[in-house]
Amino acid sequence: MYFCGVKEHKFISSTQNPLIKKVLLLKEKSRERKKAGLFVVEGKREIELVQKGGYSIDTLLCCPEILSDFDTNPLVKNSTPDQIQLTRAVYEKLAHRGTTEGVLALVKSKEHALAHLQFINDNPLILVAEAPEKPGNIGALLRTADAAALDAVLIANPRSDLYNPNIVRSSVGCVFTTQIGMGSTDEIIQFLNSNNIQINCAALTASKNYVECDFKGANAIVVGTEATGLTDSWLQNSDQNIIIPMQGEIDSMNVSVSAAILIFEAKRQRGF
């Protein structure tokens, strides 16, 4: 009998199996992900997006009791991974979701150096997030970037591992389909300047109402943390500080909400 393209003897029934222990470490430890160059993806849709994003699957882990006769060939069309069956008990040890789909993948990480970025558009629209830390916020930023079809998301001074399972989940797989570059604040500023991309910093001081700004050219919208905002390096190199007028008692919104407002104003000006 064959299932998901493998012979029946490729089967794991113990949670003490070395591969199962490795998967658990990859889920829990950023250090292990970086050392192995692998991360864990759960679910059919996310694995399909992994393939669409050009990632290579190292190992596909399937639970026959859950998947039944499901054909995994579409999930591995760009890869030739090892494919292994798991018992339900072992699979549920690995899976995060309560409503599970019966398939996990170990995926090879990509490099996200600024030098690897390529822009198809002459006037790219880019989101820059400085030192984002909360996986939920990073995931939400990536979902907005995907919804707006941004040319890239740049993360300055990253504090979270991009392949943290919480980022993968909260981005709903958009981490795989969005062009992402990472570097220090100074490196990203230099990159934007060398590519003649205007820097628009979301800031409270010396700022212009965002609806009065011109986003039709090559532009980067730069957002900082909700607690401290952007560092002085950004403010000193900003071409234009922009602000979203507030009418309540507080002077800030969730960073992903603010970014979405600014990005879709830019998209409106560009005619979507």
Short mmCIF file of all heavy atoms in Angstrom, two decimals, residues 134-144 166-172 174-175 256:
data_model
loop_
_atom_site.label_atom_id
_atom_site.label_comp_id
_atom_site.label_asym_id
_atom_site.label_seq_id
_atom_site.Cartn_x
_atom_site.Cartn_y
_atom_site.Cartn_z
N LYS A 134 6.30 41.60 18.46
CA LYS A 134 5.19 40.70 18.69
C LYS A 134 4.86 39.92 17.42
O LYS A 134 4.58 40.52 16.37
CB LYS A 134 3.95 41.48 19.15
CG LYS A 134 4.15 42.20 20.47
CD LYS A 134 2.92 43.01 20.84
CE LYS A 134 3.13 43.76 22.15
NZ LYS A 134 1.96 44.61 22.48
N PRO A 135 4.88 38.59 17.48
CA PRO A 135 4.57 37.79 16.28
C PRO A 135 3.23 38.13 15.65
O PRO A 135 3.11 38.16 14.43
CB PRO A 135 4.59 36.35 16.81
CG PRO A 135 5.52 36.39 17.97
CD PRO A 135 5.29 37.73 18.61
N GLY A 136 2.22 38.43 16.49
CA GLY A 136 0.91 38.77 15.95
C GLY A 136 0.94 40.03 15.11
O GLY A 136 0.28 40.10 14.06
N ASN A 137 1.70 41.03 15.56
CA ASN A 137 1.82 42.26 14.78
C ASN A 137 2.56 42.02 13.47
O ASN A 137 2.19 42.55 12.42
CB ASN A 137 2.55 43.34 15.59
CG ASN A 137 1.65 44.03 16.59
OD1 ASN A 137 0.43 43.96 16.50
ND2 ASN A 137 2.25 44.69 17.56
N ILE A 138 3.63 41.23 13.53
CA ILE A 138 4.39 40.94 12.31
C ILE A 138 3.51 40.19 11.32
O ILE A 138 3.49 40.50 10.12
CB ILE A 138 5.66 40.13 12.66
CG1 ILE A 138 6.58 40.96 13.55
CG2 ILE A 138 6.39 39.72 11.38
CD1 ILE A 138 7.75 40.19 14.14
N GLY A 139 2.77 39.21 11.82
CA GLY A 139 1.87 38.48 10.95
C GLY A 139 0.83 39.38 10.31
O GLY A 139 0.53 39.27 9.12
N ALA A 140 0.27 40.29 11.10
CA ALA A 140 -0.75 41.21 10.57
C ALA A 140 -0.15 42.16 9.54
O ALA A 140 -0.79 42.46 8.52
CB ALA A 140 -1.37 42.01 11.73
N LEU A 141 1.07 42.63 9.76
CA LEU A 141 1.74 43.48 8.78
C LEU A 141 1.94 42.74 7.46
O LEU A 141 1.74 43.30 6.37
CB LEU A 141 3.09 43.95 9.32
CG LEU A 141 3.05 44.96 10.46
CD1 LEU A 141 4.45 45.14 11.06
CD2 LEU A 141 2.53 46.32 9.98
N LEU A 142 2.31 41.47 7.55
CA LEU A 142 2.54 40.69 6.34
C LEU A 142 1.23 40.40 5.61
O LEU A 142 1.19 40.37 4.37
CB LEU A 142 3.26 39.39 6.69
CG LEU A 142 4.71 39.57 7.17
CD1 LEU A 142 5.27 38.25 7.69
CD2 LEU A 142 5.59 40.10 6.04
N ARG A 143 0.15 40.21 6.35
CA ARG A 143 -1.15 40.02 5.70
C ARG A 143 -1.58 41.28 4.97
O ARG A 143 -2.12 41.21 3.85
CB ARG A 143 -2.20 39.63 6.75
CG ARG A 143 -2.02 38.25 7.32
CD ARG A 143 -3.06 37.89 8.36
NE ARG A 143 -4.36 37.65 7.76
CZ ARG A 143 -5.42 37.24 8.44
NH1 ARG A 143 -5.34 37.03 9.75
NH2 ARG A 143 -6.57 37.02 7.83
N THR A 144 -1.35 42.43 5.58
CA THR A 144 -1.67 43.70 4.91
C THR A 144 -0.82 43.87 3.67
O THR A 144 -1.30 44.30 2.62
CB THR A 144 -1.45 44.87 5.87
OG1 THR A 144 -2.34 44.75 6.98
CG2 THR A 144 -1.70 46.20 5.18
N ASN A 166 4.42 31.22 15.44
CA ASN A 166 3.35 32.19 15.67
C ASN A 166 3.28 33.23 14.55
O ASN A 166 2.19 33.74 14.25
CB ASN A 166 3.54 32.87 17.02
CG ASN A 166 3.32 31.94 18.19
OD1 ASN A 166 2.45 31.08 18.14
ND2 ASN A 166 4.12 32.07 19.23
N ILE A 167 4.42 33.56 13.94
CA ILE A 167 4.41 34.47 12.80
C ILE A 167 3.84 33.76 11.58
O ILE A 167 3.03 34.33 10.84
CB ILE A 167 5.83 35.01 12.52
CG1 ILE A 167 6.28 35.92 13.67
CG2 ILE A 167 5.86 35.77 11.19
CD1 ILE A 167 7.70 36.46 13.51
N VAL A 168 4.26 32.52 11.38
CA VAL A 168 3.73 31.75 10.25
C VAL A 168 2.21 31.66 10.36
O VAL A 168 1.48 31.89 9.38
CB VAL A 168 4.36 30.34 10.21
CG1 VAL A 168 3.69 29.49 9.14
CG2 VAL A 168 5.87 30.44 9.95
N ARG A 169 1.70 31.35 11.55
CA ARG A 169 0.25 31.21 11.74
C ARG A 169 -0.47 32.54 11.60
O ARG A 169 -1.49 32.64 10.92
CB ARG A 169 -0.05 30.60 13.11
CG ARG A 169 0.17 29.10 13.19
CD ARG A 169 -0.44 28.53 14.46
NE ARG A 169 0.24 29.03 15.66
CZ ARG A 169 1.28 28.44 16.22
NH1 ARG A 169 1.80 27.35 15.70
NH2 ARG A 169 1.84 28.93 17.32
N SER A 170 0.04 33.57 12.26
CA SER A 170 -0.68 34.86 12.25
C SER A 170 -0.63 35.53 10.88
O SER A 170 -1.49 36.34 10.56
CB SER A 170 -0.12 35.79 13.33
OG SER A 170 1.25 36.10 13.09
N SER A 171 0.37 35.20 10.08
CA SER A 171 0.45 35.76 8.73
C SER A 171 -0.40 34.96 7.75
O SER A 171 -0.56 35.35 6.59
CB SER A 171 1.89 35.77 8.23
OG SER A 171 2.33 34.48 7.85
N VAL A 172 -0.96 33.84 8.20
CA VAL A 172 -1.76 32.93 7.37
C VAL A 172 -0.98 32.55 6.10
O VAL A 172 -1.54 32.47 5.01
CB VAL A 172 -3.13 33.54 7.01
CG1 VAL A 172 -4.09 32.44 6.55
CG2 VAL A 172 -3.73 34.27 8.18
N CYS A 174 1.28 34.35 4.57
CA CYS A 174 1.75 35.48 3.76
C CYS A 174 3.24 35.73 3.93
O CYS A 174 3.86 36.41 3.11
CB CYS A 174 0.96 36.75 4.10
SG CYS A 174 -0.78 36.65 3.64
N VAL A 175 3.84 35.18 4.97
CA VAL A 175 5.28 35.28 5.15
C VAL A 175 6.01 34.60 4.00
O VAL A 175 7.15 34.95 3.69
CB VAL A 175 5.70 34.66 6.51
CG1 VAL A 175 5.43 33.18 6.55
CG2 VAL A 175 7.16 34.94 6.82
N SER A 256 -0.01 47.58 13.20
CA SER A 256 -0.50 46.95 11.97
C SER A 256 -1.70 47.72 11.41
O SER A 256 -1.88 47.82 10.19
CB SER A 256 -0.87 45.49 12.22
OG SER A 256 -1.92 45.37 13.14
#
